[in-house]
């Protein structure tokens, strides 16, 4: 355990440069006193660790001194090669770079650990998109990723859901995110951070103008906050429904997760007829109409009135198409088949 911590401390100093004892203690999840002892142990082992005094001081390695890649355990080597995702890397234009990096790391590992890297790819595969989803074309992803890396402004032509459908924006790209098989661009625009679906980008022209990234911007923290807000705000209404127990149990297979979770949580006790009442969050009346139709005749809309009226109109239209006792009829208005005449 201590040997692993010493290697971690050494690699932290090698990758991050000067760090205070407090920063090292936080990163290693130990006490500052433990950091002092570990630094002394590294010095005694011949590692050139130096302490700079003063408010801006800290520990650092002798300039130019580096250690070879050592200290990896078997599971760590496995995880390292599992992290090299060929699909996303290829979409970013980094497939050859990732392959070259893995080759170099594999060459630096001891024989046994190098052999384990091949076993990981043979046994684990990550397929990010959901079922029945074809990969979304992202012809401008590599261009946007390059602008993110170089901190260059980009002029985007973007297709959005509301009018005007096509807009042009000058944005400062801060990062790209892969979420459930779809790529998103996080960018600064009009004095705020915004999120754009890369598949909806119609054109991307990188300018020669550079920008300064916002101080303290954390892509992962922003994405957590943005996704939580999106999931919270997308359902702006509620529908009161009556449905069978079987329909309630079927919901998770055909409904968005938030709708099915909320419906199950709010469900009352079923009556003697096997029906119960519950409330579901909805994006809009139109969206709720589409989703609830998946339950067929095992759901009844109680409120809002507009949604119930849509279901009434749908039921009447279906009755006209499928009149009772006319199973062999053709399209509406067509003569009956000879067999039914």
């Amino acid at each position: 355990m201590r040997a692993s911590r010493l290697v971690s401390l050494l690699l932290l100093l090698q990758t991050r440069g000067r760090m205070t004892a407090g920063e090292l203690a936080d990163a290693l999840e130990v006490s500052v006193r433990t950091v002092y002892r570990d630094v002394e142990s590294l010095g005694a082992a011949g590692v050139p660790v130096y302490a700079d005094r003063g408010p801006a001081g800290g520990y650092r390695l002798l300039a130019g001194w580096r250690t070879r890649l050592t200290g990896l355990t078997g599971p760590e080597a496995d995880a390292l090669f599992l992290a090299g995702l060929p699909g996303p890397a290829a979409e970013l234009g980094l497939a050859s770079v990732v392959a070259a990096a893995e080759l170099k790391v594999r060459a630096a590992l001891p024989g046994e650990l190098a052999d384990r890297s091949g076993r990981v790819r043979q046994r684990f595969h990550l397929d990010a998109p959901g079922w029945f989803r074809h990969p979304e074309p992202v012809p401008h992803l590599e261009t946007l990723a390059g602008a993110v890396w170089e901190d260059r402004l980009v002029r985007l032509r973007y297709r959005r859901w509301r009018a005007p459908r096509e807009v042009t924006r000058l944005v400062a790209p801060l990062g790209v995110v892969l979420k459930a098989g779809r790529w998103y661009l996080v960018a600064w625009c009009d004095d705020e951070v915004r999120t754009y679906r890369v598949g909806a980008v119609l054109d991307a022209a990188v300018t020669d103008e550079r920008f300064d990234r916002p101080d303290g911007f954390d892509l992962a923290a922003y994405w957590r906050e943005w996704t939580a807000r999106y999931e919270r705000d997308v359902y702006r209404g509620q529908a009161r429904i009556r449905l069978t127990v079987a329909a309630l149990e079927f919901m998770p297979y055909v409904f968005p997760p938030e709708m099915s979770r909320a419906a199950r949580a709010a469900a009352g006790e079923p009556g003697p007829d096997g029906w119960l009442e519950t409330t579901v969050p909805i994006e809009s009346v139109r969206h709720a109409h589409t989703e609830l139709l998946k339950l067929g005749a095992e759901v009844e809309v109680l409120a809002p009135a507009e949604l119930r009226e849509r279901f009434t109109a749908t039921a009447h239209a279906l009755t006209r198409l499928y009149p009772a006792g006319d199973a062999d009829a053709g399209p509406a208005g067509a003569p009956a088949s000879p067999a039914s005449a």
Side-chain angles (χ1 to χ4, degrees):
M1 185 68 169
R2 183 164 184 266
S4 175
R5 190 176 67 244
L6 289 174
V7 171
S8 297
L9 192 156
L10 173 58
L11 293 177
L12 280 170
L13 293 177
Q14 181 170 300
T15 56
R16 300 188 188 180
R18 181 186 288 108
M19 296 182 68
T20 66
E23 291 171 339
L24 287 167
D26 289 341
L28 297 171
E29 297 183 350
V30 297
S31 67
V32 171
R33 186 179 296 276
T34 298
V35 170
Y36 293 153
R37 289 198 298 265
D38 288 349
V39 168
E40 290 179 1
S41 298
L42 286 176
V47 177
V49 183
Y50 290 85
D52 294 328
R53 307 296 180 184
Y59 292 109
R60 63 181 177 85
L61 295 172
L62 180 67
W65 189 91
R66 299 185 67 81
T67 181
R68 293 187 303 169
L69 181 63
T70 56
L72 277 179
T73 65
E76 288 169 346
D78 291 344
L80 178 65
F81 285 95
L82 184 61
L85 307 179
E91 291 180 317
L92 288 168
L94 298 174
S96 60
V97 177
V98 170
E102 287 190 356
L103 183 62
K104 291 177 180 178
V105 172
R106 189 179 292 114
L109 289 171
E112 180 186 353
L113 295 184
D115 292 340
R116 292 176 68 105
S117 65
R119 295 175 57 201
V120 171
R121 288 290 173 82
Q122 294 169 1
R123 289 164 172 79
F124 299 98
H125 176 69
L126 176 63
D127 185 9
W131 285 105
F132 308 109
R133 267 194 179 179
H134 296 289
E136 185 176 45
V138 284
H140 304 291
L141 176 61
E142 187 174 345
T143 298
L144 294 171
V148 168
W149 190 252
E150 297 177 1
D151 294 334
R152 292 187 183 275
L153 295 177
V154 176
R155 193 169 299 279
L156 286 184
R157 189 161 61 89
Y158 186 76
R159 183 180 62 249
R160 60 183 186 175
W161 62 272
R162 66 177 183 271
R165 294 298 304 277
E166 290 189 15
V167 295
T168 300
R169 298 280 188 268
L170 184 65
V171 305
L174 302 174
V176 288
V177 177
L178 178 62
K179 170 73 170 179
R182 284 188 173 177
W183 287 97
Y184 296 87
L185 172 71
V186 176
W188 183 265
C189 180
D190 295 336
D191 297 325
E192 65 177 346
V193 182
R194 298 183 179 182
T195 302
Y196 301 88
R197 201 176 88 242
V198 176
V201 173
L202 303 175
D203 189 39
V206 182
T207 72
D208 294 330
E209 186 177 353
R210 294 183 179 272
F211 66 91
D212 294 325
R213 294 177 66 84
D215 291 337
F217 176 75
D218 185 324
L219 179 62
Y222 165 80
W223 187 255
R224 286 193 299 271
E225 190 276 333
W226 183 84
T227 53
R229 185 174 69 249
Y230 174 80
E231 291 178 350
R232 183 177 63 248
D233 295 345
V234 71
Y235 295 103
R236 301 183 178 181
Q238 287 186 332
R240 189 69 184 170
I241 61 175
R242 179 173 171 268
L243 74 167
T244 65
V245 173
L248 183 68
E249 294 175 349
F250 186 58
M251 272 188 172
Y253 300 101
V254 293
F255 274 28
E258 181 60 26
M259 288 185 70
S260 62
R261 280 197 299 265
R264 294 170 71 87
E269 291 296 324
D273 58 355
W275 287 63
L276 54 85
E277 290 190 16
T278 188
T279 302
V280 292
I282 61 173
E283 293 184 34
S284 64
V285 167
R286 181 178 179 181
H287 175 263
H289 178 246
T290 301
E291 292 294 336
L292 290 170
L293 277 176
K294 297 174 182 177
L295 300 179
E298 295 194 50
V299 63
E300 178 188 1
V301 174
L302 304 177
E306 183 183 354
L307 180 57
R308 185 176 175 87
E309 289 167 3
R310 277 182 176 255
F311 266 82
T312 301
T314 300
H316 289 166
L318 289 172
T319 300
R320 289 193 296 271
L321 286 173
Y322 306 101
D326 200 14
D328 295 329
S337 64
S340 62

